[in-house]
Amino acid sequence: MLNYNHTIKEEKSYQGLQMIEMKPVMKLIVRGKKREFLSAIGKSLNMVLPTKANTSTQSEKLTALWLSPDEWMIFSNGVVKENTNSYETETLLNKNISKLDLGAVVDVTDQFVRINLKGDKIYNLFQTGSPFNFNDFRNKTGSVTQTILAKIDVIIHNQNRNEVNLFVRRSFSEHLFAWMNDSASRL
Amino acid sequence: MKQLRDLSKQKIGVVAAGHSSVIANMAGLKLPLESKPLQALVSEPVKPIIDTVVMSNAVHAYVSQSDKGELVIGAGTDDYVSYSQKGSHDIVEGTLNAILELYPIFSRMRMLRQWGGIVDICPDASPIISKTSIKGLYFNCGWGTGGFKATPGSGDLFAHTIANDEPHKLNAAFNINRFVSGDLVDEHGAAAVAH
Amino acid sequence: MFLINCPFCGEREQSEFKAGGEAHIVRPKQPTELSDDEWAEYLFMRKNIKGVQFERWNHVHGCRKWFNMVRDTSNDQIKAVYKMGEKPPIK
Ligand SMILES: Cc1cc2nc3c(=O)[nH]c(=O)nc-3n(C[C@H](O)[C@H](O)[C@H](O)COP(=O)(O)OP(=O)(O)OC[C@H]3O[C@@H](n4cnc5c(N)ncnc54)[C@H](O)[C@@H]3O)c2cc1C
Ligand SMILES: [Zn+2]
């Protein structure tokens, strides 16, 4: 059962920008190099991992983000019901990946906080605290980047036009959210 | 490159700070140094507001006010070797972030000048005032981010070392051989960041 | 301040990276047989070149991969970027 304590208590809304924590969301990090690793993940989850840098792939239930040539984050598109979640994805990958020594599977549900941002001011907000050039990113649905926002490591995923998912380590999440609110209030 | 062995009758003392390795390389010598940009900033002049030097190890920055009224601000080095005399913008931003943690009142100060000096840093962050493996060649270097205040003393001890071809007891520990013997002088540990 | 072309992620701002110092320093094959002088040479002595330097960088705030770079340290111009284990593309 998922015992997730959320860190961000409220939804925030500004002109052209809404921010909310999506919770609880199952998140996994998978690592592997072998071709068998990629095909085993593909077969198990019925989706291919993106091998092109800075991109993602999506199935009905899951999204996979490219993090590095041998590392991906997989998360559930929707929120998971706390009392019915039985870690079925992790269990499945444990069996088909870890046990067969094809790669590593780590549950990071509690390690990362997923913040969903919507609106046409998202990139104005990012510009106030990130060295990343979002010009191409914002026009390509599915784009992924790992960069810095307000000196904090973040993973950003272009979900849709004017909608992104932002992943931040839990211990930094409250501070980052406070910073984002402060910055958004002055856009 | 061929390493010199002996400058025979000459004695050469090198005090080139950030460029010490460049000179050492001319003699075929490698030094335990990395040269990195260290920046400082000066603001527009304002009326007296701070009458002492404030140095924070917690947020890592220092600030003082000059007689002309300018705030003098600085912090740490970039982490890459460079002789370009311009550090990265990121360091300036981090420095000012730290200053604003201490003094939110400075948030609307305008900075007038910024520059980067090249500082030569030893692995143990302590200086070298020493003979070398080449007879007659001496180095006073590795002062890194903190050689300003030590200048008179270090000059005196360096002169002693060159004149006698032996270190004074005060700079004996700062010999270049400590990187071979393992007797490092851990200035990072002793001073945290400030000096 | 400069842009670095990470061999994995593409062009990024230098602040996303961590410098890892001089590259191609070979780890001693038989550490137990090393003299103190050789240890000092391996651990501490650096070329610290003013000019074209071969160095290691890590994309810490991105893909977290190590790679090599050739940079002119006198003006921070980047000459080449190449993956770990690859031969330098220029001399
Ligand atoms: C921004 C900044 C802030 C600092 N803040 C402090 C501080 O608060 N407190 C502190 O104690 N220290 C501080 N330092 C460090 C301090 O400034 C230095 O450690 C100190 O100045 C070094 O003195 P030096 O005499 O060894 O070398 P320098 O004063 O740097 O002199 C070296 C000289 O060698 C010359 N030279 C180089 N190559 C050659 C060559 N081939 N031929 C001839 N001449 C050559 C150079 O032109 C230069 O004049 C700071 C440094 C910087 C850059
Ligand atoms: Zn990268």
Side-chain angles (χ1 to χ4, degrees), chain B residues 80-82 84 86 88-89, chain C residues 1-4 12-15 17 55 57 69 71 75-78:
Chain B
Y80 52 86
V81 168
S82 178
S84 66
K86 51 176 193 249
S88 70
H89 185 259
Chain C
M1 188 164 63
F2 41 88
L3 294 172
I4 296 176
R12 299 297 186 91
E13 231 275 329
Q14 166 263 319
S15 58
F17 298 82
E55 53 194 16
W57 284 76
M69 196 155 105
R71 184 174 53 100
N75 56 17
D76 293 337
Q77 260 180 28
I78 296 168

Side-chain angles (χ1 to χ4, degrees), chain A residues 78-141:
Chain A
V79 295
V80 185
K81 285 214 183 65
E82 293 202 29
N83 47 6
T84 58
N85 177 61
S86 52
Y87 292 106
E88 69 248 25
T89 313
E90 191 198 4
T91 313
L92 183 67
L93 292 182
N94 246 327
K95 184 167 121 258
N96 297 348
I97 303 291
S98 314
K99 292 262 160 61
L100 302 181
D101 243 357
L102 294 176
V105 180
V106 181
D107 186 283
V108 290
T109 298
D110 287 281
Q111 193 197 337
F112 281 96
V113 170
R114 172 178 166 196
I115 300 170
N116 184 267
L117 291 89
K118 282 201 181 98
D120 54 13
K121 287 276 166 59
I122 295 173
Y123 299 100
N124 300 57
L125 173 70
F126 290 166
Q127 266 168 18
T128 64
S130 176
F132 185 71
N133 180 347
F134 284 97
N135 287 352
D136 289 337
F137 179 98
R138 64 188 299 166
N139 295 321
K140 251 192 268 164
T141 303

Side-chain angles (χ1 to χ4, degrees), chain B residues 15-20 22-23 26 37-41 62 74-75 115-120 140-151 154 195:
Chain B
V15 286
H19 281 72
S20 300
V22 176
I23 310 263
M26 292 177 185
L38 176 66
Q39 300 182 76
L41 305 96
Y62 62 80
W115 69 96
I118 304 307
V119 296
D120 46 329
N140 183 347
C141 60
W143 285 95
T145 61
F148 211 73
K149 73 217 159 212
T151 305
S154 102
H195 11 227

Side-chain angles (χ1 to χ4, degrees), chain B residues 119-131:
Chain B
V119 296
D120 46 329
I121 302 175
C122 273
D124 60 357
S126 292
I128 294 167
I129 308 176
S130 177
K131 310 202 289 188

